[in-house]
Short mmCIF file of all heavy atoms in Angstrom, two decimals:
data_model
loop_
_atom_site.label_atom_id
_atom_site.label_comp_id
_atom_site.label_asym_id
_atom_site.label_seq_id
_atom_site.Cartn_x
_atom_site.Cartn_y
_atom_site.Cartn_z
N PRO A 209 94.15 124.67 107.94
CA PRO A 209 93.12 125.43 108.69
C PRO A 209 92.57 126.62 107.94
O PRO A 209 91.40 126.99 108.12
CB PRO A 209 93.88 125.89 109.95
CG PRO A 209 95.03 124.94 110.11
CD PRO A 209 95.38 124.56 108.70
N GLY A 210 93.37 127.26 107.05
CA GLY A 210 92.89 128.43 106.35
C GLY A 210 91.64 128.23 105.57
O GLY A 210 90.75 129.12 105.52
N ASP A 211 91.47 127.07 104.89
CA ASP A 211 90.23 126.79 104.15
C ASP A 211 89.62 125.46 104.55
O ASP A 211 88.72 125.02 103.90
CB ASP A 211 90.55 126.83 102.66
CG ASP A 211 91.60 125.79 102.21
OD1 ASP A 211 91.99 124.96 103.04
OD2 ASP A 211 92.07 125.87 101.08
N ASP A 212 90.15 124.85 105.64
CA ASP A 212 89.60 123.63 106.19
C ASP A 212 89.69 122.46 105.26
O ASP A 212 88.98 121.46 105.43
CB ASP A 212 88.13 123.81 106.62
CG ASP A 212 87.74 122.90 107.74
OD1 ASP A 212 88.61 122.59 108.61
OD2 ASP A 212 86.59 122.43 107.78
N ARG A 213 90.61 122.51 104.28
CA ARG A 213 90.78 121.36 103.43
C ARG A 213 91.59 120.24 104.12
O ARG A 213 92.50 120.55 104.88
CB ARG A 213 91.52 121.75 102.11
CG ARG A 213 90.72 122.67 101.26
CD ARG A 213 91.44 122.98 99.95
NE ARG A 213 91.60 121.75 99.14
CZ ARG A 213 92.22 121.73 97.94
NH1 ARG A 213 92.70 122.83 97.42
NH2 ARG A 213 92.35 120.59 97.27
N GLU A 214 91.24 119.05 103.90
CA GLU A 214 91.87 117.93 104.63
C GLU A 214 92.00 116.72 103.67
O GLU A 214 91.21 116.52 102.80
CB GLU A 214 91.01 117.55 105.80
CG GLU A 214 91.60 116.46 106.71
CD GLU A 214 90.83 116.21 107.96
OE1 GLU A 214 89.62 116.63 107.99
OE2 GLU A 214 91.33 115.63 108.89
N ARG A 215 93.07 115.98 103.91
CA ARG A 215 93.35 114.74 103.14
C ARG A 215 93.98 113.75 104.07
O ARG A 215 94.86 114.07 104.89
CB ARG A 215 94.25 115.04 101.99
CG ARG A 215 94.57 113.77 101.13
CD ARG A 215 95.32 114.09 99.89
NE ARG A 215 96.66 114.56 100.22
CZ ARG A 215 97.60 114.81 99.25
NH1 ARG A 215 97.27 114.71 97.97
NH2 ARG A 215 98.80 115.23 99.61
N THR A 216 93.54 112.50 103.97
CA THR A 216 94.18 111.39 104.73
C THR A 216 94.68 110.40 103.69
O THR A 216 93.94 109.93 102.80
CB THR A 216 93.19 110.74 105.68
OG1 THR A 216 92.85 111.65 106.73
CG2 THR A 216 93.82 109.52 106.29
N THR A 217 95.96 110.01 103.82
CA THR A 217 96.53 109.06 102.91
C THR A 217 96.87 107.76 103.66
O THR A 217 97.45 107.80 104.74
CB THR A 217 97.87 109.62 102.32
OG1 THR A 217 97.60 110.88 101.66
CG2 THR A 217 98.48 108.63 101.34
N GLU A 218 96.43 106.66 103.09
CA GLU A 218 96.69 105.39 103.69
C GLU A 218 98.05 104.88 103.20
O GLU A 218 98.22 104.44 102.07
CB GLU A 218 95.58 104.40 103.27
CG GLU A 218 94.17 104.79 103.67
CD GLU A 218 93.93 104.66 105.16
OE1 GLU A 218 94.66 103.94 105.84
OE2 GLU A 218 92.93 105.27 105.62
N VAL A 219 99.03 104.96 104.09
CA VAL A 219 100.43 104.57 103.75
C VAL A 219 100.64 103.07 104.09
O VAL A 219 101.35 102.37 103.37
CB VAL A 219 101.42 105.45 104.45
CG1 VAL A 219 102.87 104.99 104.16
CG2 VAL A 219 101.26 106.92 104.01
N GLY A 220 100.08 102.66 105.19
CA GLY A 220 100.22 101.28 105.62
C GLY A 220 101.43 101.11 106.53
O GLY A 220 102.30 101.93 106.60
N GLY A 221 101.48 99.95 107.13
CA GLY A 221 102.57 99.65 108.08
C GLY A 221 102.52 100.56 109.31
O GLY A 221 101.49 101.18 109.59
N GLU A 222 103.59 100.51 110.09
CA GLU A 222 103.67 101.37 111.28
C GLU A 222 104.32 102.68 110.83
O GLU A 222 105.56 102.77 110.73
CB GLU A 222 104.49 100.72 112.37
CG GLU A 222 103.74 99.48 112.97
CD GLU A 222 104.60 98.82 114.08
OE1 GLU A 222 105.69 98.34 113.78
OE2 GLU A 222 104.09 98.76 115.21
N LEU A 223 103.53 103.68 110.59
CA LEU A 223 103.97 104.98 110.05
C LEU A 223 104.25 105.87 111.22
O LEU A 223 103.35 106.57 111.72
CB LEU A 223 102.98 105.57 109.12
CG LEU A 223 103.32 106.86 108.45
CD1 LEU A 223 104.56 106.74 107.54
CD2 LEU A 223 102.12 107.46 107.71
N SER A 224 105.50 105.93 111.63
CA SER A 224 105.84 106.65 112.88
C SER A 224 106.05 108.16 112.68
O SER A 224 105.95 108.95 113.66
CB SER A 224 107.06 106.09 113.58
OG SER A 224 108.19 106.10 112.70
N ALA A 225 106.37 108.58 111.45
CA ALA A 225 106.62 110.01 111.25
C ALA A 225 106.48 110.37 109.77
O ALA A 225 106.73 109.49 108.90
CB ALA A 225 108.02 110.40 111.72
N ALA A 226 106.14 111.61 109.51
CA ALA A 226 106.07 112.18 108.14
C ALA A 226 106.68 113.57 108.21
O ALA A 226 106.08 114.46 108.79
CB ALA A 226 104.71 112.22 107.57
N VAL A 227 107.85 113.77 107.68
CA VAL A 227 108.61 115.00 107.75
C VAL A 227 108.57 115.71 106.39
O VAL A 227 108.93 115.06 105.38
CB VAL A 227 110.08 114.79 108.19
CG1 VAL A 227 110.83 116.08 108.22
CG2 VAL A 227 110.10 114.09 109.55
N PRO A 228 108.14 116.94 106.30
CA PRO A 228 108.06 117.61 105.03
C PRO A 228 109.43 117.70 104.38
O PRO A 228 110.48 117.82 105.04
CB PRO A 228 107.55 118.99 105.38
CG PRO A 228 106.82 118.86 106.67
CD PRO A 228 107.60 117.77 107.40
N ARG A 229 109.46 117.65 103.05
CA ARG A 229 110.72 117.79 102.27
C ARG A 229 110.79 119.13 101.60
O ARG A 229 109.75 119.67 101.17
CB ARG A 229 110.72 116.66 101.24
CG ARG A 229 111.98 116.57 100.36
CD ARG A 229 111.96 115.32 99.54
NE ARG A 229 112.95 115.32 98.49
CZ ARG A 229 112.73 115.60 97.21
NH1 ARG A 229 111.49 115.79 96.81
NH2 ARG A 229 113.75 115.58 96.32
N ARG A 230 111.96 119.68 101.52
CA ARG A 230 112.16 121.05 101.01
C ARG A 230 111.57 121.23 99.58
O ARG A 230 110.93 122.24 99.27
CB ARG A 230 113.63 121.42 100.98
CG ARG A 230 113.95 122.84 100.51
CD ARG A 230 115.44 123.07 100.42
NE ARG A 230 116.03 122.11 99.47
CZ ARG A 230 117.33 121.89 99.31
NH1 ARG A 230 118.18 122.59 100.12
NH2 ARG A 230 117.79 121.04 98.46
N ASP A 231 111.73 120.20 98.77
CA ASP A 231 111.30 120.29 97.36
C ASP A 231 109.95 119.62 97.13
O ASP A 231 109.57 119.30 96.02
CB ASP A 231 112.34 119.67 96.43
CG ASP A 231 113.63 120.41 96.48
OD1 ASP A 231 113.62 121.65 96.70
OD2 ASP A 231 114.71 119.80 96.34
N GLY A 232 109.19 119.44 98.21
CA GLY A 232 107.86 118.79 98.10
C GLY A 232 107.90 117.33 98.43
O GLY A 232 108.94 116.68 98.29
N GLY A 233 106.80 116.85 98.90
CA GLY A 233 106.73 115.43 99.31
C GLY A 233 107.20 115.28 100.78
O GLY A 233 107.17 116.25 101.54
N TRP A 234 107.62 114.07 101.12
CA TRP A 234 107.84 113.74 102.51
C TRP A 234 109.02 112.80 102.68
O TRP A 234 109.41 112.13 101.74
CB TRP A 234 106.59 113.00 103.06
CG TRP A 234 105.30 113.63 102.85
CD1 TRP A 234 104.48 113.52 101.78
CD2 TRP A 234 104.71 114.62 103.73
NE1 TRP A 234 103.38 114.30 101.90
CE2 TRP A 234 103.46 114.99 103.10
CE3 TRP A 234 105.04 115.14 104.96
CZ2 TRP A 234 102.63 115.94 103.69
CZ3 TRP A 234 104.19 116.07 105.52
CH2 TRP A 234 102.98 116.45 104.92
N VAL A 235 109.54 112.82 103.88
CA VAL A 235 110.33 111.67 104.35
C VAL A 235 109.41 110.89 105.32
O VAL A 235 108.91 111.49 106.29
CB VAL A 235 111.63 112.12 105.11
CG1 VAL A 235 112.33 110.87 105.66
CG2 VAL A 235 112.54 112.86 104.15
N LEU A 236 109.17 109.66 105.04
CA LEU A 236 108.32 108.81 105.85
C LEU A 236 109.16 107.81 106.65
O LEU A 236 110.07 107.21 106.10
CB LEU A 236 107.33 108.06 104.99
CG LEU A 236 106.43 108.88 104.04
CD1 LEU A 236 105.52 107.96 103.24
CD2 LEU A 236 105.56 109.87 104.87
N ALA A 237 108.85 107.69 107.91
CA ALA A 237 109.45 106.67 108.73
C ALA A 237 108.42 105.55 108.96
O ALA A 237 107.44 105.76 109.63
CB ALA A 237 109.92 107.25 110.04
#
């Protein structure tokens, strides 16, 4: 929201969750 930058990533499948990771990146369900 601070600069209104946005990105959408096509992961595919039934992507039920994306949890931030401490060292960067994600845990994807």
Side-chain angles (χ1 to χ4, degrees):
D211 58 12
D212 206 34
R213 293 185 63 180
E214 185 175 17
R215 179 174 69 175
T216 294
T217 303
E218 302 287 342
V219 176
E222 291 180 298
L223 181 64
S224 58
V227 178
R229 183 170 167 258
R230 183 185 59 192
D231 297 329
W234 307 90
V235 175
L236 304 178

